Amino acid sequence: MKNRLMSNWGLKLISVIFAILLWLVVVNVDDPVTTKKFKNIPVNILSENLISDAGETYEVLDKSDQVTITVKAKRSVADSLSGADFKATADIAERISENSIPIKVTATKRTEDIVDIYLQNNTVKIAVEAKEHKEIPVEINLSGKTAEGYTVGSTSIEPGTVQIAGPASIISQVEKVVVPVNINGASEDITLEANGEYYRKDGSIIANSRIEGDISRILINVHLLHTKSIDLNLTTEGEPAAEYWCQDVQYTPTTITIAGEPEELAKINTLEIPAAELNITGASENIVKEIEVEKYLPQGLIICAENEKKIHVTILISALDGREFRIPMSDVDVLNTPAGLDTVLDPSRIVSVIVKGSSEALNSLSINDIKVSVDIKDKEAGTHNLQANVTVPSGYIVMNRPMVSITLERSGEDSSAPPSATQVPLPAQTDVPYPEVPNTPVPQPTEVPPTPTPAVPTSTPIPTPDPTVGPPDEEIQ
């Protein structure tokens, strides 16, 4: 038996080798060595302080801080692995050059079963530049519209500025931090915490994670005021140049919307603009000006719309027209007749009175509106040349005071020809035309028309009589 076991060594050795080869074939067929690719494995940058301590910062280029690897291992091993089972690092202390850092990848699982790991890109590319610090303001950007009857009175923001840091090329572009706040439909004060956004000077947003700064919890307060619409009231001061009149005062806006606390708004319905703002003394042409409104509002009130903060005013100044009125002598009032004397008036005589006013006003003026009187106080019997007094309604100008010749008789005297009051003849004169009313276009509508003053259309030129002489005797036809 022993001889059998110890014999045929060559055949037995061949059998063992064949068995081993058969085992290897079977193993490789069932669990062969294979490769597997894992993409976008993040690379952890180490020793960043080496750059920050030098007052610099860096930026990873071309997304090179993500690496793709190929793992060689048995199929059973490779199938059990995922990208999370690998750790990639790049240590700035091991930089190959100023802008290149080598990448190392290690497995955190089945390390002994992995045959090899290949990297598709084996370095992180960086750009290094100076680090800049900057303080920038924080602003609020309101959007939407408050509820009817409300407007934004004031806003507050905390902090008002923030400190930021980052690459000089980026920080130099940052102009401010803007916090968007929606107030649409708001009818009460708003208080909230909100995130801000970095803005360039041109109004575009800078979306860059390399900017260091806390803008995630900015405290915002928006205070609302009640609103109210009120009228504007304008008046003029002074008188225009001789023979001119203030035809109209036109302005826009005629009403404004103001805002304030309810108790303050309740005290005002009309805003009076001081007459000193519209002084027309000596004016002989139209006056155009702008008036700042807000300075005349009571303290605590504001004007809501920007285009209502100024009133655009046009004051129309026009030349007066002239017209002759022929007053019958019978309409002349004789005042203060002395005792024992009588006056006899001849109704066939007239008194000529020239009145100036606007064309519209003269059209509405009648003889009955003109009062002519003569005061004969302390006069004795005989004929007297007296200057008459003429009164007209407000808004008109009397251009002459006619002379009237009046005869007084003692009471009870009989005369063959009854005495009469006569007018002294006027000397020959040259006609002097009166200035015409300029035809100035006027914006409409007029909010507060001036007190209507009777006026007339431009008449034909009228001679200006000598105030010391009465008109020639003339009979009324």
Side-chain angles (χ1 to χ4, degrees), residues 212-232:
E212 303 169 18
D214 186 8
I215 58 171
S216 62
R217 295 174 62 86
I218 298 175
L219 182 63
I220 302 295
N221 180 267
V222 180
H223 178 55
L224 299 187
L225 297 174
H226 291 249
T227 63
K228 181 179 182 178
S229 182
I230 62 171
D231 295 326
L232 295 175

Side-chain angles (χ1 to χ4, degrees), residues 176-195:
K176 59 187 174 182
V177 172
V178 177
V179 183
V181 178
N182 191 332
I183 60 170
N184 198 45
S187 59
E188 58 184 22
D189 291 355
I190 300 172
T191 300
L192 53 82
E193 281 187 345
N195 295 333

